[in-house]
Amino acid sequence: MTDFVYDFHQGSRAMADLLGGKGANLAEMTNLGLPVPPGFTISTEACRAYLDAGVEPAGLASELEEHMARLESRSGKRLGDPHDPLLVSVRSGGRYSMPGMMETVLNVGLNDTSVTGLAAVADDERFAWDSYRRLVQMYASTVLGVDSEIFEKAIERRKATRGVGLDTELLADDWRAVVDEFKTAIHEYTGRPFPQDPLEQLRSAVGAVFRSWNAPRAELYRRHHGLPTKAGTAVNVMAMVFGNLGQGSGTGVAFTRDPATGEPGVYGDYLTNAQGEDVVAGIRNTVPLTHLRDLDRAAYDELLSHMATLEHHYRDLCDIEFTVERGKLWMLQTRVGKRTPAAAFVIAASLLADEIIDEDEALTRVDGEQLSLLMFPGFDPGAERTLVTRGNGASPGAASGTIVFDSETAVDWAKQGRAVLLVRRETNPDDLPGMIAAHGVLTSRGGKTSHAAVVARGMGKTCVCGAEDLDVDTDNRVITTPTGMTLSEGDVLSIDGATGEVFLGEIPVTDSPVVRYFEGALSAEEQKSDDLVSAVHRLMTVADRRRVLEVRANADTGEDASRALRFGAQGVGLARTEHMFLGERRAYVEHLILAETAGEQEAALAELEPLQRADFEELLAAMDGRPVTIRLIDPPLHEFLPDLTELAVRVEHDAATGASDTRSQRLLEAVRRLHEQNPMMGMRGVRLALVIPGLLAMQVRAVGRAAARLRRNGHDPRPEIMVPLVGSVTELRLAREEAEKVLHDVRAETGQDFDCPIGTMIELPRAALTAADIATAAEFFSFGTNDLTQTTWGFSRDDVETEFFARYLDLGVFDVSPFESLDREGVGQLVRLAAHAGRQTRPGLGLGVCGEHAGDPHSIHFFHDIGLDYVSCSPFRVPVARLETGRAAVGQNTDSAGSGSA
């Protein structure tokens, strides 16, 4: 029989898949001897069984009662006891942290009788009724689905009646009246009274937490962060300890290092006379954790000791939740803390320097997505700015946008292409869509551990919290600043997520210091003096030593190639020659298309060749001594011509006004002749080379002459010619024969000898399936995973991403767009098959990938695993690819990179 429930002392942090992250870490702290309230964890297996069947799995009820009896024995109290009741919390806890996305119910076990016993034991009637109020409110919204606004409005009415502004100013009689009002609302909404049986409360709360795994906001969060959809959540049942027992009690969140910068020290928030959800919800503004030293020195010193123990044990930044109950410290949760990308690099480099972790483990603590976020711009330091106010810098970065006051508006305006800033008093989990859509988040309440702060850091989103000088009126959609200025929806603000500053209007931005480092714009002294840049440099050095895959860049110009070199590229894996036919050069392509005789066609190609040769010479010179893979022209020629409809209208208009000319008529005829219903499957790639006489020869001759000229001038050009869209080995052989003849003639003509391997792109399923044959005519394969994804799935990328991908993601057809991260089960298997078959035929066959997946961290690990030689991505993604190829070499799975980092 399956065990569904585990006491804390039965688990360990190695059991996170079964007990969830929270439960595993509670077990770990218990076994370290830290002061953890007694409790137990209901496993993720129980959750999956519950969700599959829709009912509580057989055996769970009896296990619950058995473990509840043990908990009662350890605590010396009994659930529902009318004199000294045991109360428990019921909290979610999945394998991966999902802050605020699932449900919690506190004070389970209170009822109309035991509330008086709690008041007597605590000698605090107000505390008891406030605790009962919290249970009824949470239970109603979480378990029964009653609108939480009903309860918030009831509390607001009570405060207005009493003439007070804070919840803490309400007295025992106030909370007693509020509880009565809550219970009446529950009966009206559900037709049933609030349950008085503590075990019924417990079992119902557990079921509600299980169901919250599939709540829309939880699904959206998992989709946004690429988390598994079927894992389920564990449920942690723990004896309640109370931070709301007066000024000698409180609750807080601590970090062993600054989660924003990575600097060591004492960081966190504390709130006196409060329970944990008050801190996270941001309902009241917290004080810095160091204030606890003055309030309760003994508890503060003990907390610091436990923080040191946990950081030493976990060898990482730890995020800790704790409560002080009348001077007694209780540790309620720990985890490897979420951190900003900057903090992730600084912490990993610091732990490496202190020899707490080795180089390989340091690479596991950071990832490519974090690095890419560090490369985003910040505010121009020289720009004028008008300070409005200052809050808590909760998630670094720079963001400007038009202010909006609700999630729905943020989403709508973002869809219109507007940069928006979501402004709230405090955020809640339902604001997640707006937070994703917004460039930044600004709240007037809450600290660095509020919902807004934690979620924003997890998304790499700029966030300022606790700007309490701002009066945020969401009903009237205005903000009143400390100076009395009124800002309305649609006005522009800028926020600095590092300093917490809020500025009026839009502020220009500049490149990040990390980009300046990669560009080579920082001196050695500047690198050393900047902790972040120094950390990035150290870890990139480790990654470059470890990696096996080369990193090349997709570059079409000498300027692109030069930037890619500065960013660490080892060559060009894709130079798209069709990009060289844009702009003013379209006219030369028109000449080729309109040519009616062989002579006219040859003349048009002769016009194009010197332009192509100059382009190739610039590119090869920039990458001197490194490979440059030049793809022959790929897209249909009609893409270089005017739009059919626009041209037809213009010709008709000219005819009507007597201004028609023969050239426009001929051009229209050509556009109509070349028009295709499905051009991506039509006359493109190798088909152009085989059907249009002289086109392939012109391009190959231009490559050869560019290489010969550079060789003559003492350079070391290393061109490679790539034939696109091959589906048959016969196509490649025909193209290769013509190309080899042209290159032979160029060598004879110039007297220069140079190597120029000829290979092909594998971007059609047939090419992948016949790779063994194609390898007989190819010296290298480059996988074009963009087109291979389109042709494998039968997707037209430009259409499907807007038409139905969102629905497919909702339905779980795929967890992430196959154009963002490689579809390993389908497209990936074609790549694997082709790579293996190609090397079976030609053992020295070069293998690379040049689609957008070459810069995707998850995909890079796959390419490493199947033995490719290189990845080729955009110049800006080269550092990301360098880091991820190093991580792949040490066997680090991207799903576990920096488990608490964001």
Side-chain angles (χ1 to χ4, degrees), residues 849-873:
V849 60
C850 60
E852 289 182 27
H853 299 105
D856 169 61
H858 290 268
S859 306
I860 286 170
H861 288 247
F862 176 81
F863 300 137
H864 170 90
D865 291 343
I866 65 171
L868 300 194
D869 297 314
Y870 68 87
V871 294
S872 184
C873 55

Side-chain angles (χ1 to χ4, degrees), residues 545-626:
R545 283 205 308 269
R546 292 289 188 272
R547 62 192 172 92
V548 177
L549 280 169
E550 285 190 5
V551 177
R552 302 182 187 178
N554 301 339
D556 306 327
T557 67
E559 183 180 351
D560 287 346
S562 296
R563 188 176 205 206
L565 271 179
R566 293 195 297 272
F567 278 14
Q570 297 166 282
V572 170
L574 175 64
R576 293 156 291 205
T577 57
E578 62 271 8
H579 287 189
M580 303 170 183
F581 292 146
L582 301 176
E584 295 178 356
R585 298 187 184 183
R586 287 179 183 272
Y588 295 102
V589 182
E590 288 185 14
H591 295 168
L592 175 62
I593 292 170
L594 295 178
E596 295 181 344
T597 66
E600 289 179 352
Q601 196 168 55
E602 289 174 7
L605 290 169
E607 289 178 324
L608 284 168
E609 185 187 319
L611 302 174
Q612 288 265 276
R613 184 176 65 239
D615 293 331
F616 298 146
E617 193 170 333
E618 177 188 0
L619 199 55
L620 290 166
M623 278 287 170
D624 199 39
R626 299 173 179 85

Side-chain angles (χ1 to χ4, degrees), residues 793-805:
W793 277 91
F795 287 159
S796 168
R797 178 174 182 172
D798 293 338
D799 299 321
V800 299
E801 287 194 311
T802 56
E803 289 292 330
F804 60 81
F805 264 29

Side-chain angles (χ1 to χ4, degrees), residues 197-255:
D197 179 0
L199 277 176
E200 180 186 345
Q201 294 176 8
L202 175 61
R203 292 174 64 182
S204 297
V206 169
V209 174
F210 283 158
R211 293 192 299 275
S212 71
W213 174 260
N214 287 331
R217 68 193 186 205
E219 291 180 337
L220 175 61
Y221 186 94
R222 288 195 295 273
R223 187 164 67 243
H224 182 74
H225 289 275
L227 299 178
T229 59
K230 305 297 184 183
T233 181
V235 179
N236 299 288
V237 178
M238 179 193 289
M240 286 292 303
V241 291
F242 299 97
N244 56 336
L245 276 170
Q247 295 305 306
S249 302
T251 189
V253 177
F255 298 94

Side-chain angles (χ1 to χ4, degrees), residues 746-767:
V746 169
R747 292 186 184 102
E749 163 198 314
T750 63
Q752 298 295 319
D753 193 19
F754 54 87
D755 289 329
C756 187
I758 298 172
T760 187
M761 279 186 97
I762 303 295
E763 49 194 328
L764 296 175
R766 191 182 193 282

Side-chain angles (χ1 to χ4, degrees), residues 306-325:
H306 296 331
M307 289 169 64
T309 296
L310 289 169
E311 175 156 306
H312 177 76
H313 183 71
Y314 281 85
R315 299 186 305 151
D316 207 344
L317 159 70
C318 288
D319 171 355
I320 298 157
E321 293 182 17
F322 67 93
T323 281
V324 178
E325 182 183 271

